[in-house]
Amino acid sequence: MSGSTFGKIFKATTFGESHGTALGVVVDGVPAGTKIDLEKIQERLDRRRPGAKAGGKFNAAVTARSEADKAEILSGVFEGKAEGTPIAIEIRNTSQHSSDYSNLKDAFRPGHADYTYFEKYGFRDYRGGGRASGRETCARVAAGALALQFLEQELGKKFSITAYTLRAAGISCKNIDLKVIEQNPLRAADLDAARAMQEKIEALRAAGDSAGGIVECVVKGVPAGLGEPVFEKLDAQLAAAMLSIGAVKGIEFGAGFAACDMTGSQNNDEIFVKGTKAAFKTNNAGGLLGGISNGAEIIFRLAIKPVPSVFVEQETVKMKGAKLVDTKLQIKGRHDVCLCPRIVPVVEAMAALTLADALLQNRAARI
């Protein structure tokens, strides 16, 4: 199976399945001497991991599957520093309920990758989606934690990546406050909106249904000049990274699709001198021009589809011998109701991997 490696210089290869023995990642290209803190990796994994509680309170949005997601570094780190060799991280599965998926052995779940995996490979791991499961993202988060540590050491305290739920279950944040993101189960940037989202999601959970939303990401402290035109523009690489996350169905930068209704004079970000650098009066471009970072904040938003694992009966097809036949299916097991809060750390991880790779590539751009 190809397609499991991301990056050119700072490369991450993930492995493992939802109900396998373990998941993990091999990260190659971490510059020797980079300080590696296992506790910081674990902190990132703890933000992504499944579990029914958040901040001590019941979180209606996420699955009840409880995994420790304890990271173990197997190679590439000595005395707290990267050796310049591949860093392997393993995360063991401990709470698989594979019997919950026995009715999926021959049937294909609507909204999932079951049918497409079967058509591509001729068979599939039906236990929790196998490789297509959202559980694969724990390996990405571990890799992203390494990338983030490298970026913070290279770019300093002004650098940060912050993602949050902007909209969920049809309810949007109105008063954006990044300080409250970790103070509510939805990881929303507005506590009033978060309470309304939680109520709506609790009702959907009771009805056996699910919700989608929008996640926004703001990256600060990226220097101008990152990105490799013309086919590997930074926005193109970020888009590829984000769209590789299973539930992400769309992306926009800066003004995004709203730019379609603007004039050129409205959409252009006027430039002025600030200190010794150029700065921009607005940021409709989302921090990117010609596929290269311009020094402003990089801002993008992601469309997150509703969780496809719903507990209402749906029409589908199943294999009966060598033939497809119509059937009905009701999904069992433990599933998220809204993916936004758990996708937030995955978005930050993929952004970190993209920027770490772009920064290393940029070192070869000029003398």
Side-chain angles (χ1 to χ4, degrees):
M1 179 179 183
S2 61
S4 292
T5 299
F6 181 83
K8 290 205 165 189
I9 299 176
F10 198 108
K11 297 191 291 187
T13 302
T14 68
F15 62 87
E17 296 81 35
S18 176
H19 286 234
T21 302
L23 298 103
V25 64
V26 177
V27 182
D28 203 359
V30 182
T34 302
K35 294 178 183 178
I36 304 298
D37 187 334
L38 179 58
E39 288 187 8
K40 289 184 178 180
I41 297 172
Q42 192 61 55
E43 286 172 5
R44 290 277 157 174
L45 285 167
D46 289 345
R47 290 176 67 227
R48 191 224 70 96
R49 75 182 183 89
K53 294 191 176 183
K57 298 180 180 179
F58 176 74
N59 185 358
V62 305
T63 174
R65 178 174 175 175
S66 182
E67 291 279 2
D69 278 0
K70 184 173 177 58
E72 181 182 1
I73 295 177
L74 305 180
S75 65
V77 178
F78 180 65
E79 295 184 341
K81 293 183 179 181
E83 296 183 82
T85 56
I87 298 175
I89 300 175
E90 183 181 73
I91 302 151
R92 289 265 167 174
N93 286 325
T94 60
S95 182
Q96 310 98 306
H97 287 184
S98 298
S99 60
D100 289 342
Y101 299 88
S102 58
N103 65 328
L104 303 179
K105 184 176 180 180
D106 299 311
F108 303 107
R109 295 169 296 175
H112 285 266
D114 298 351
Y115 178 68
T116 51
Y117 265 61
F118 178 79
E119 283 293 322
K120 182 173 180 63
Y121 298 107
F123 68 103
R124 63 188 173 90
D125 183 349
Y126 59 85
R127 305 165 304 165
R131 186 76 176 136
S133 169
R135 178 132 184 79
E136 178 268 341
T137 60
C138 70
R140 300 172 183 234
V141 171
L146 291 175
L148 187 61
Q149 291 182 48
F150 163 66
L151 288 165
E152 288 174 341
Q153 291 169 49
E154 285 289 306
L155 301 179
K157 294 181 179 179
K158 291 184 179 180
F159 174 79
S160 65
I161 302 173
T162 306
Y164 55 89
T165 299
L166 180 65
R167 181 177 176 86
I171 297 163
S172 297
C173 294
K174 294 181 180 179
N175 301 306
I176 303 298
D177 183 357
L178 301 185
K179 295 177 183 178
V180 306
I181 295 169
E182 295 299 326
Q183 295 177 19
N184 67 88
L186 272 296
R187 289 201 169 97
D190 179 336
L191 290 178
D192 291 334
R195 283 188 284 269
M197 292 173 187
Q198 180 81 352
E199 289 178 7
K200 182 73 175 290
I201 288 168
E202 284 175 353
L204 287 168
R205 177 184 283 278
D209 219 329
S210 65
I214 297 173
V215 168
E216 184 165 80
C217 186
V218 180
V219 186
K220 299 180 179 180
V222 176
L226 299 192
E228 302 296 321
V230 292
F231 296 115
E232 296 182 3
K233 297 175 179 178
L234 187 54
D235 40 359
Q237 296 305 301
L238 284 166
M242 299 307 149
L243 291 170
S244 74
I245 302 170
V248 176
K249 302 302 290 183
I251 184 169
E252 66 175 10
F253 292 88
F257 285 98
C260 299
D261 296 322
M262 294 180 179
T263 63
S265 59
Q266 291 172 328
N267 186 55
N268 289 344
D269 300 311
E270 294 188 69
I271 310 172
F272 66 98
V273 176
K274 185 177 181 180
T276 60
K277 298 284 187 179
F280 300 84
K281 292 182 179 180
T282 54
N283 194 13
N284 291 318
L288 298 152
L289 290 168
I292 300 172
S293 60
N294 63 12
E297 293 179 356
I298 296 175
I299 301 173
F300 58 86
R301 286 168 293 280
L302 307 171
I304 312 299
K305 75 174 185 177
V307 178
S309 292
V310 295
F311 297 105
V312 297
E313 189 175 72
Q314 300 176 90
E315 294 183 358
T316 186
V317 296
K318 69 176 182 179
M319 295 300 300
K320 189 173 183 180
K323 297 174 67 175
L324 280 174
V325 297
D326 292 319
T327 189
K328 292 184 178 180
L329 176 68
Q330 187 169 20
I331 292 173
K332 302 176 183 178
R334 301 161 296 172
H335 307 286
D336 296 294
V337 177
C338 178
L339 292 167
C340 291
R342 289 183 62 207
I343 275 184
V344 162
V346 182
V347 169
E348 293 173 349
M350 293 307 297
L353 285 168
T354 304
L355 292 168
D357 198 36
L359 187 62
L360 290 174
Q361 289 184 61
N362 206 50
R363 289 179 175 176
R366 69 181 191 184
I367 295 174

